[in-house]
């Protein structure tokens, strides 16, 4: 039996239906689940033979109520190395901060998709690489809904934003492709906010978070008795958004049969609920996001070619963060500004050494992962600034890969843009460059002046005008 197949998870939950669901999800990847219905039972089970074999704990916040963090501390005091993941319906950043400071490894907001749950479990129990810190956290902060909130100056990124801004003004269906975490949903929301339909109905559906047998009902609705358990009539998202916009995230995960139905619905403009003998004419704009190129999926017969063409009347590609590393400093400062506004957290600065470290990582989880890592670092920061030491897992992973003081990483601490994406004043940029040069050449002012291409007298005049201590 493999290591993964032998893993055991304790679920602390008093809802039988949710316990059965999580047990079934975990079983698909070889996990065994033991259930404790209350805090006392969970603590007692830690000392049993099965309890000693646990690989992780899933804790539903509502079991201990307001004492969730106290229970986490108690569990960690008894088993310090055992990862704990909190499940909650609250998206409160303060609760996330308190849970993580109490010892939780991650914080998952319900309803949670099976993939996200298993991804979180894998992340906190893997022994192959020290990636615990990089486990993606569920979005804790509400995002701004306009293009100004999209930070970045990389050419590919700015091209994508320009295409999106132009498409937003029209009514054509739009497809946004890009890796997970690149900001596709945020871009779709910005497009809706800038569109002629901004005041009309909006619905956001993540296909990956919906059970396969419920997707048709969610999209098209259903009539009473259309299938077992359908006791009432349900209006589908397509009908609900008549005159407005429907955002479909992870559209590449639509089942094959649903793809054909959606293509037919878009083409005809008529929605037919499951079990209905009649249809409804609707006017809905679809903004869709896919983690994979739909054109490639159509060639392998994994996606309906007609639907791909209908959804992609306008197609936009968001580049991964590794292709826009120059945006990492401005993104970092932007996120730290937002994080500092959350209850229980402080406004933090960040050192050049930390920015160098962040710029050296390839960010497989893209912008979302960067935000999650910064959030986690901010939770545990006891000072006023994040340093390279604030990211121990990154340091460990990158330490043997390359010399982070190499020329390619120098200068990353000189910010060209403010948190909102606008250029900083030239005077501030010049002061940062001079400080960097003085530090790099260890205060040898003749060398500093020569490398900056100015005379010593000019350098000292600038130091005086900019208020820079020449010992900086």
């Amino acid at each position: 039996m493999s290591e993964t197949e032998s893993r055991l998870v304790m679920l602390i939950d008093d809802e039988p239906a949710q316990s059965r669901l999580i047990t079934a999800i975990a079983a698909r990847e070889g996990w065994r689940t033991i259930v404790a219905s209350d805090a006392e039972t969970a603590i007692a089970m830690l000392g049993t033979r099965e309890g000693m074999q646990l690989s992780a704990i899933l804790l539903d916040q509502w079991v201990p109520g307001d004492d969730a963090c106290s229970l986490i501390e108690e569990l960690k005091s008894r088993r310090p190395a055992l990862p704990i993941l909190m499940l909650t319906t609250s998206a409160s950043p303060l609760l996330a901060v308190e849970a993580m400071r109490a010892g939780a490894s991650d914080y998952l907001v319900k309803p949670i998709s099976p993939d996200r749950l298993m991804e979180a479990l894998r992340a906190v129990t893997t022994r192959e690489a020290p990636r615990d810190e990089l486990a993606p956290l569920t979005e804790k902060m509400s995002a701004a809904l306009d293009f100004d909130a999209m930070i970045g100056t990389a050419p590919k990124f700015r091209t994508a934003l320009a295409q999106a801004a132009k498409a937003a003004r029209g009514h054509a269906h739009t497809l946004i492709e890009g890796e997970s975490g690149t900001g596709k949903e945020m871009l779709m929301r910005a497009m809706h906010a800038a569109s002629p339909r901004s005041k009309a109905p909006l619905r956001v559906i993540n296909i990956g978070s919906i059970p396969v047998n419920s997707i048709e009902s969610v999209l098209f609705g259903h009539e009473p008795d259309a299938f077992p358990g359908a006791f009432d009539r349900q209006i589908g998202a397509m009908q609900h958004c008549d005159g407005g916009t429907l955002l479909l995230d992870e559209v590449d995960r639509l089942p094959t049969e649903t793809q054909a139905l959606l293509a037919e619905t878009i083409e005809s403009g008529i929605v037919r609920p499951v079990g209905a003998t009649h249809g409804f004419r609707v006017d809905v704009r679809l903004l869709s996001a896919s983690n994979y190129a739909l054109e490639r999926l159509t060639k392998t017969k994994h996606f309906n070619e007609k639907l791909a063409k209908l959804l992609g009347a306008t197609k936009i590609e968001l580049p991964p963060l590794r292709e826009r590393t120059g945006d990492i400093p401005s993104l970092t400062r932007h996120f730290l500004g937002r994080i500092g506004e959350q209850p229980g957290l402080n406004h933090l600065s960040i050192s050049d050494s930390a920015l160098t470290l962040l710029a050296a990582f390839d960010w497989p989880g893209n912008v979302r992962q960067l935000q999650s890592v910064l959030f986690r670092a901010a939770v545990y920061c006891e000072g006023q600034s994040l340093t390279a030491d604030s990211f121990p897992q990154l340091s460990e992973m990158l330490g043997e890969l390359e010399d982070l003081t190499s020329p390619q990483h120098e200068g990353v601490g000189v910010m060209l843009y403010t948190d909102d994406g606008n250029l900083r004043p030239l005077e501030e940029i010049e002061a940062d460059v001079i400080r960097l040069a003085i530090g790099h050449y260890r205060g040898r002012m003749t060398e500093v002046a020569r490398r900056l291409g100015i005379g010593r007298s000019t350098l000292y005049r600038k130091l005086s005008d900019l208020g820079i201590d020449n010992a900086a």
Side-chain angles (χ1 to χ4, degrees):
M1 182 175 287
S2 70
E3 180 184 12
T4 299
E5 292 176 334
S6 65
R7 284 181 177 172
L8 180 67
V9 60
M10 177 194 289
L11 172 62
I12 307 175
D13 194 341
D14 59 356
E15 295 183 11
Q18 179 169 269
S19 297
R20 288 193 296 270
L21 176 61
I22 290 179
T23 298
I25 292 172
R28 295 175 196 169
E29 296 199 16
W31 287 75
R32 291 189 300 117
T33 304
I34 57 175
V35 180
S37 59
D38 54 54
E40 293 74 17
T41 302
I43 293 172
M45 290 177 70
L46 282 183
T48 66
R49 182 174 180 179
E50 280 192 315
M52 298 305 295
Q53 298 173 357
L54 288 173
S55 296
I57 293 176
L58 290 171
L59 166 63
D60 190 297
Q61 178 209 351
W62 294 112
V63 175
D66 294 335
D67 296 327
C69 292
S70 297
L71 177 57
I72 292 174
E73 291 177 346
E74 177 68 20
L75 294 170
K76 293 297 285 187
S77 69
R78 294 170 182 264
R79 299 285 294 280
L82 195 59
I84 301 174
L85 293 83
M86 177 185 279
L87 304 174
T88 178
T89 55
S90 171
S92 166
L94 182 57
L95 180 57
V97 170
E98 292 174 346
M100 292 168 64
R101 285 178 175 163
S105 303
D106 209 342
Y107 175 91
L108 312 176
V109 178
K110 298 185 294 186
I112 181 172
S113 70
D115 286 351
R116 172 69 181 99
L117 176 61
M118 298 316 301
E119 178 185 9
L121 275 174
R122 284 194 298 269
V124 298
T125 57
T126 181
R127 298 175 184 174
E128 296 177 359
R131 291 178 177 263
D132 291 12
E133 185 179 48
L134 305 183
L137 291 168
T138 303
E139 186 75 19
K140 305 295 189 306
M141 300 169 289
S142 58
L145 303 180
D146 55 45
F147 287 104
D148 290 340
M150 304 291 288
I151 306 300
T153 60
K156 286 185 179 180
F157 183 72
R158 299 310 301 183
T159 297
L161 290 193
Q163 291 175 328
K166 181 178 179 180
R169 297 190 291 270
H171 295 274
H173 303 312
T174 301
L175 172 66
I176 302 174
E177 296 178 340
E179 294 179 9
S180 178
T182 49
K184 299 186 294 297
E185 182 183 339
M186 185 177 179
L187 184 58
M188 289 193 295
R189 289 181 178 272
M191 289 180 64
H192 170 72
S195 76
R197 301 183 183 224
S198 60
K199 305 299 182 182
L202 171 70
R203 183 69 63 87
V204 181
I205 295 179
N206 186 304
I207 302 299
S209 66
I210 302 173
V212 174
N213 58 0
S214 299
I215 291 179
E216 285 187 25
S217 180
V218 170
L219 289 177
F220 310 122
H222 65 250
E223 292 294 304
D225 301 320
F227 48 83
F231 302 112
D232 301 308
R233 176 179 290 106
Q234 175 174 305
I235 297 177
M238 293 285 287
Q239 189 177 348
H240 172 84
C241 293
D242 188 19
T245 307
L246 176 60
L247 273 56
L248 294 179
D249 201 5
E250 293 191 283
V251 71
D252 50 286
R253 300 185 63 175
L254 274 174
T256 304
E257 299 80 4
T258 310
Q259 291 174 24
L261 284 174
L262 182 56
E264 181 182 335
T265 301
I266 295 173
E267 200 167 44
S268 67
I270 297 176
V271 172
R272 189 181 301 277
V274 179
T277 58
H278 57 283
F280 301 90
R281 183 167 293 279
V282 295
D283 171 25
V284 178
R285 185 186 193 188
L286 292 172
L287 301 181
S288 306
S290 172
N291 293 335
Y292 303 95
L294 293 191
E295 184 177 355
R296 192 178 308 160
L297 294 180
T298 61
K299 292 179 179 178
T300 58
K301 307 299 182 183
H302 287 94
F303 202 85
N304 185 290
E305 186 173 0
K306 179 188 289 186
L307 180 59
K309 289 180 179 178
L310 290 170
L311 295 177
T314 299
K315 188 183 298 184
I316 299 168
E317 183 177 351
L318 275 179
L321 188 54
R322 63 180 173 277
E323 292 181 8
R324 44 183 293 228
T325 54
D327 289 338
I328 288 178
S330 54
L331 281 168
T332 296
R333 294 188 184 278
H334 172 72
F335 287 143
L336 287 179
R338 289 178 58 201
I339 290 169
E341 296 172 355
Q342 306 308 308
L345 293 174
N346 299 319
H347 286 278
L348 300 173
S349 59
I350 186 165
S351 70
D352 286 349
S353 63
L355 285 170
T356 299
L357 191 67
L358 296 179
F361 190 60
D362 63 358
W363 299 107
N366 295 293
V367 177
R368 184 190 299 128
Q369 186 182 25
L370 172 63
Q371 178 174 327
S372 296
V373 169
L374 290 170
F375 186 95
R376 190 180 294 272
V379 167
Y380 296 116
C381 181
E382 297 180 352
Q384 298 300 313
S385 179
L386 297 179
T387 66
D389 292 336
S390 303
F391 308 96
Q393 307 291 349
L394 285 181
S395 298
E396 186 172 348
M397 283 188 284
L398 293 172
E400 300 178 359
L401 298 181
E402 57 183 312
D403 180 3
L404 296 180
T405 62
S406 63
Q408 73 183 78
H409 295 298
E410 290 182 5
V412 72
V414 178
M415 301 295 105
L416 298 181
Y417 298 90
T418 58
D419 290 344
D420 59 7
N422 292 312
L423 278 168
R424 296 174 64 205
L426 181 60
E427 184 178 87
E428 292 182 9
I429 296 174
E430 185 178 38
D432 282 355
V433 171
I434 292 175
R435 289 192 185 95
L436 182 68
I438 292 174
H440 183 75
Y441 295 104
R442 300 181 181 180
R444 291 176 286 139
M445 305 309 284
T446 300
E447 185 68 6
V448 170
R450 187 172 76 84
R451 293 295 181 177
L452 292 177
I454 57 178
R456 277 177 59 92
S457 59
T458 301
L459 174 61
Y460 281 109
R461 186 179 72 252
K462 286 183 177 293
L463 292 177
S464 177
D465 291 343
L466 296 172
I468 300 175
D469 183 352
N470 62 10

